[in-house]
């Protein structure tokens, strides 16, 4: 596993579909144990996860991250699964959801749960208080960086709602993340920092993408 920050680790790359790259991320700063964001496609990193203290909680941003490994994570580590209540039926086909997520709130792990529907009905983002005063924003497929270093929204005409997604992006624009981590990406890395750019400008670029493709 690759260290991203002192309290944040990235699993090896998975390629669920041609041209699509995914990772899961272990945050070791949870108030009640380690937190795994997103899902893995295999159990190849399970021993490394164990060496880092295991997984007490797993958070999904939306239904596309659900799969057979959810049950394996729960079985191996005793992890509680946190996932959007609006997608309980789809995700529940793979594993029991211990904590269905609804409205915006800060939970017992210190994570701010932010509903950001639009990519899918239950899409949810997570704002995490990271090491050294930094904040990490896990956006799922709501917001990502494409292969040309352009911020885009995860709009798929077959499942997404453009107006709802644009509203969700407005909510994210009000935040001040130091690190933004999407669920899927077209390149090798889903981890990006706004850098010298204003975060609001990054999100505005993604909203323009929604308008263009809708």
């Amino acid at each position: 596993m690759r260290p991203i920050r002192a309290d944040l680790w990235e699993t090896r790359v998975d390629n669920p579909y041609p041209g699509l790259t995914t990772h899961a991320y272990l945050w070791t700063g949870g108030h009640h144990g380690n937190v795994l964001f997103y899902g893995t496609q295999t159990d190849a990193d399970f021993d490394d996860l164990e060496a880092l203290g295991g997984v007490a909680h797993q958070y999904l941003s939306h239904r596309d991250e659900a799969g057979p490994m959810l049950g394996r994570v729960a079985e191996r580590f005793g992890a509680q699964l946190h996932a959007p209540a609006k997608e309980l039926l789809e995700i529940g086909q793979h594993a029991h959801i211990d904590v269905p997520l609804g409205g915006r709130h800060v939970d017992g792990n210190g994570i701010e749960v932010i509903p950001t529907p639009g990519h899918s009905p239950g899409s949810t983002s997570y704002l995490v208080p990271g090491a050294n005063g930094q904040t990490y924003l896990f956006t799922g497929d709501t917001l990502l960086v494409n292969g040309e270093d352009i911020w885009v929204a995860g709009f798929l005409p077959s499942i997404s709602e453009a107006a709802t997604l644009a509203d969700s992006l407005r909510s994210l624009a009000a935040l001040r993340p130091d690190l933004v981590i999407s669920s899927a990406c077209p390149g090798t890395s889903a981890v990006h920092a706004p850098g010298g750019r204003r975060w609001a400008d990054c999100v505005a670029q993604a909203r323009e993408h929604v308008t263009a493709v809708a």
Side-chain angles (χ1 to χ4, degrees), residues 200-212:
D201 292 339
C202 297
V203 180
Q205 186 176 55
R207 286 183 59 209
E208 290 174 4
H209 170 74
V210 174
T211 304

Side-chain angles (χ1 to χ4, degrees), residues 58-143:
Q58 183 173 12
Y59 286 65
L60 301 188
S61 73
H62 67 300
R63 61 197 179 193
D64 293 349
E65 295 154 9
M69 285 299 111
L70 293 180
R72 296 286 301 278
V73 170
E75 179 183 0
R76 172 73 179 266
F77 303 106
Q80 284 196 319
L81 181 60
H82 304 239
K86 287 186 177 180
E87 297 178 359
L88 189 149
L89 181 62
E90 297 94 330
I91 297 170
Q93 295 176 11
H94 301 281
H96 173 70
I97 297 178
D98 300 287
V99 184
L101 301 175
R104 185 168 180 169
H105 64 284
V106 177
D107 71 8
N109 285 310
I111 297 167
E112 185 170 3
V113 177
I114 308 172
T116 48
H119 170 73
S120 70
S123 288
T124 302
S125 298
Y126 304 105
L127 191 66
V128 173
N132 300 316
Q134 291 200 332
T135 56
Y136 314 145
L137 177 61
F138 292 86
T139 57
D141 287 350
T142 295
L143 180 65

Side-chain angles (χ1 to χ4, degrees), residues 1 9 16 20 25 32 40 55 63-64 72 91 112 120-121 139 152 155-156 186 200-201 204:
M1 292 181 62
W9 298 76
L20 182 67
Y25 296 87
H32 300 287
T40 64
V55 180
R63 61 197 179 193
D64 293 349
R72 296 286 301 278
I91 297 170
E112 185 170 3
S120 70
T139 57
V152 298
F155 180 82
L156 298 176
D201 292 339

